[in-house]
Amino acid sequence: MSILKVARLGHPVLRAGTRPLSPEEIAAPDLQRLIGDMIETMREYNGVGLAAVQVHDARRIAVLEVADNPRYPEKQAVPLSILINPKIEPLSEEQEEDWEGCLSVPDMRGLVPRYAKIGVQALSHKGEKLEFVAEGFHARVIQHELDHLNGKVYLDRMTDLSTLTHLQEYLRFWSEK
Ligand code: NI
C-alpha cells in the first residue's frame, strides 16, 4: 500500500465532483488497491475521514475511522468504514455546531453546523448494501466526506468565518481539553 498525496484547498480537483461506481468497478482489483491506499493515507495524516477526490481520484468513495486520534482526542470512536456511492438524509431538523478540520485545509479549524442525526445508504467495499443511522461526530464526519464528493469543503458550510482558527490557537483557546 502507498501513502498518497493529498490535494489542498485551491486544487481544482476538490471542486470537480465525483462519479458513482458501477458494480464492475467496485469488484475491480484497482478499486481495492485505491481503498487500501486511502486507509493508509488517512491513518498516516491522522485524518478521521478521506474522500477519493482528496487523493486526485474522481470515484465516489470515502473512508472514515475515529480511533485514538491525536487530532481529535475527545471524539467518540467510529469503526473503519468504507462508503461507496453514499447518500444521506437528515433525520433531525436540528443542526449542531462543532469544530472541523480537513487534511485538504491543513492546520485549521472552524465551527460548522451539521445535522445531528442522519440516515446513510451506501455500498461496502464488497458492493453490499449498507443502511444505518449515524449521530453526533459520526454523522458529522459522514456529512463532511459527502461534501467532498460533491465538490464542497467545510469552509463553504461555515456560517461565521470569524471562528476560523489555526490549529495551534484552537488548542490554546478553544479545545475542550
Ligand atoms: Ni476534509
Side-chain angles (χ1 to χ4, degrees), residues 54 102 144 148:
Q54 292 181 273
C102 181
H144 178 116
H148 277 305

Side-chain angles (χ1 to χ4, degrees), residues 49-51 54 100-105 144-145 148 152-154:
L50 187 74
Q54 292 181 273
E100 290 185 23
C102 181
L103 296 181
S104 294
V105 188
H144 178 116
E145 298 313 323
H148 277 305
K152 286 191 180 300
V153 297
Y154 77 84

Side-chain angles (χ1 to χ4, degrees), residues 24-136:
E24 295 73 31
E25 284 178 295
I26 294 171
D30 159 57
L31 180 75
Q32 303 307 320
R33 194 175 323 121
L34 173 67
I35 291 170
D37 290 348
M38 284 173 65
I39 293 167
E40 186 154 325
T41 303
M42 170 175 68
R43 288 175 173 165
E44 171 71 16
Y45 296 114
N46 296 313
V48 292
L50 187 74
V53 69
Q54 292 181 273
V55 291
H56 308 84
D57 192 298
R59 283 174 280 187
R60 198 166 179 80
I61 176 167
V63 298
L64 46 136
E65 180 182 48
V66 186
D68 290 333
N69 192 304
R71 285 177 70 240
Y72 296 92
E74 72 278 20
K75 297 303 184 189
Q76 73 189 74
V78 174
L80 178 65
S81 320
I82 296 138
L83 302 178
I84 296 176
N85 302 343
K87 291 194 176 85
I88 62 173
E89 57 164 338
L91 296 179
S92 63
E93 292 281 299
E94 178 203 353
Q95 295 208 352
E96 292 175 341
E97 284 212 315
D98 201 357
W99 297 94
E100 290 185 23
C102 181
L103 296 181
S104 294
V105 188
D107 299 323
M108 301 294 289
R109 288 292 159 93
L111 273 178
V112 185
R114 299 284 188 188
Y115 291 108
K117 191 174 179 182
I118 57 171
V120 183
Q121 288 188 321
L123 298 173
S124 76
H125 66 291
K126 294 176 179 165
E128 298 156 339
K129 263 192 158 178
L130 302 174
E131 196 166 354
F132 58 95
V133 172
E135 295 184 65

